[in-house]
Amino acid sequence: MKPFAAPLDDILFSLDHLGGAGRLPEWDAEFVADIAGHFAAFAEREIAPLDAPGDRQGCRLIEGRVVMPDGFGAVYAALAAQGWQGLTAPEVYGGQGMGGVVMSITSEIFSGACHSLQMVSGLVPGAIRTVMTFGTDEQKQRLIPPLASGAWLATMALTEPGAGSDLSRVRTLAVPKGDHWQISGEKIFISGGDQDMSDGILHLVLARTSDEGVRGLSLFVCIDRLDGTVDGARNAITVTRIEDKMGLHASPTCQLAFDRAQAEMIGQPGDGLKAMFTMMNHARLDVALQGVAHAARAHDVTSAYAADRVQGRGAEGAAVTLDQHADVRRMLDEIDALALGARAICQIAAVTLEAGDNPPLVEFLTPIAKVYGSDAGIKAAELGMQVLGGYGYLAEYRLEQTYRDARIAAIYEGANGIHARALAERLLRGSNAVTADAFEAYLARLSDDTMFGQTLAIWREGRVVVAGANDPTPLAHDFMALSVDTMLHGIWLRYAQVADQHKDPARLRRVAQAQIRRITAVLPGRLALLRS
């Protein structure tokens, strides 16, 4: 198996030339590159070697507690000791105050090295953001420092057996009890619901405080230890099972039972959904980057194999490596394009979110990034397996694990079909149409190429068709595809313009030109599908 190598050059190049990070106040590209380099070295040396053995060993439930695979606790301790868990936390609470764009770099690298460990530790930034936005000053001072130091990890306890994406069906109940609340109910699919790496776990729990549908939901903090220390009395939270999953075997997906567990409210009664989406929107961009990480890993493994494996003969009759065959070259470049294109979309969204100057654009970009990023990881892994043939089907080259781990990204944090529906049904009409306006305005700035002007006209017409439909939901999938390809067209035109500034300009130019040809060929058909 090829050892993990962080795609640092591609990440930083994209951030500078596509993501637009330079427009952020006090952005220091050299300093950010130094931070990214340090984390990449740590990920390659310490985190990545856990991935394959952790997948084989998995997590175990022993006497009601989750035991992580061998070595995970030691590496997490090193991760926390170096301050990586508090990278985006405010300095006043013990963090580094680096911001979400820097986190997007480390998050992608972390997921590529070991998605399972990233999944368990990666919800902390979203939890900190939620407490910062909705918590009281006292809650911020008490809850954020242990998250920033790594003493605590965090979960997002939202889903219930009878309430997947339909939050109005949440039945977990919170009732006041003296100076705190008591929570009773069952939550499922809780990533990192328990583990033996951190001293404590901060559960953000969505629970019902009234019968008013989603307006009756409030958000609570529920610590697994009543005093927040490893030796404290356990709260009334029980791990009833660990799910047996297709992938992410080293990430414990737990079913939790809350039996009058002690909790405190974050924000106001009835504001639970608003508060929860603060964490979920962070998580959705994180999931998109997980897909990017898997696509980049698939390209690294596959291109190395294809460049070394001698197979068949070329046009002149001499033996050639796999990458000299036209169909293999096509697949290699498609894998590369999936990683490069999805990364650019994610970084544009992350920079816009950090800048804080265009929330409507962030709202429109988030589902696009989540859908395309997660799909990119799955498709790249599948193509990589095809390039390797029989060896791709074996565990030896890791691509089958890449596929298994990447597959969940299109399902969790809102199934991709739900995000496509939101784009077509909610974000094109009424007051929410400002989000589509913001996207259209961004596209107009993305490229001044005449060819792209024609693409933008196609998207505008598609928008009119969908917005005018009595029921836009049957058009949602095709409108998402149209929106993705429209944005990608501008991105690839930009890549072609700046290719000479990349370490491998020939590779970048070749991939960009192929994608431009593909997109301009398929876009009229996407519009025709919407019209039909």
Side-chain angles (χ1 to χ4, degrees), residues 177-200:
K177 180 72 173 179
D179 62 351
H180 63 274
W181 292 75
Q182 289 185 341
I183 293 181
S184 299
E186 187 177 48
K187 297 290 185 178
I188 61 171
F189 300 155
I190 310 304
S191 298
D194 190 45
Q195 36 73 27
D196 58 356
M197 300 188 301
S198 65
D199 294 343

Side-chain angles (χ1 to χ4, degrees), residues 157-230:
L158 180 134
T159 307
E160 297 182 8
S165 300
D166 184 1
L167 298 179
S168 66
R169 297 175 64 87
V170 166
R171 291 293 173 262
T172 295
L173 186 65
V175 295
K177 180 72 173 179
D179 62 351
H180 63 274
W181 292 75
Q182 289 185 341
I183 293 181
S184 299
E186 187 177 48
K187 297 290 185 178
I188 61 171
F189 300 155
I190 310 304
S191 298
D194 190 45
Q195 36 73 27
D196 58 356
M197 300 188 301
S198 65
D199 294 343
I201 302 172
L202 183 150
H203 299 285
L204 282 173
V205 185
L206 197 64
R208 184 162 294 287
T209 49
S210 79
D211 294 328
E212 300 179 78
V214 294
R215 287 189 292 272
L217 298 174
S218 303
L219 187 65
F220 296 87
V221 162
C222 202
I223 309 297
D224 71 328
R225 299 281 183 173
L226 292 179
D227 65 357
T229 68
V230 69

Side-chain angles (χ1 to χ4, degrees), residues 252-287:
T253 303
C254 300
Q255 186 170 331
L256 300 180
F258 295 80
D259 184 13
R260 291 176 292 180
Q262 184 172 315
E264 58 184 290
M265 187 179 290
I266 290 286
Q268 300 300 313
D271 282 350
L273 202 57
K274 181 169 66 174
M276 204 69 179
F277 270 108
T278 299
M279 190 170 189
M280 288 179 68
N281 285 337
H282 169 273
R284 285 165 176 171
L285 282 178
D286 204 45
V287 168

Side-chain angles (χ1 to χ4, degrees), residues 345 364 368 371-372 420 423-424 428 439 443 452 454-467 475-490 518-531:
I345 292 175
F364 204 89
I368 290 175
V371 169
Y372 188 66
L423 208 66
L428 295 184
F439 181 65
L443 291 175
F452 187 66
Q454 297 168 357
T455 292
L456 186 51
I458 290 174
W459 183 85
R460 287 187 181 119
E461 188 170 345
R463 173 186 176 178
V464 170
V465 171
V466 177
L475 308 178
H477 176 81
D478 291 320
F479 182 67
M480 173 62 78
L482 175 66
S483 299
V484 166
D485 271 345
T486 300
M487 187 172 184
L488 284 174
H489 189 195
R518 178 192 68 81
I519 291 169
T520 54
V522 303
L523 275 171
R526 296 208 184 283
L527 179 58
L529 279 172
L530 292 174
R531 285 172 172 164

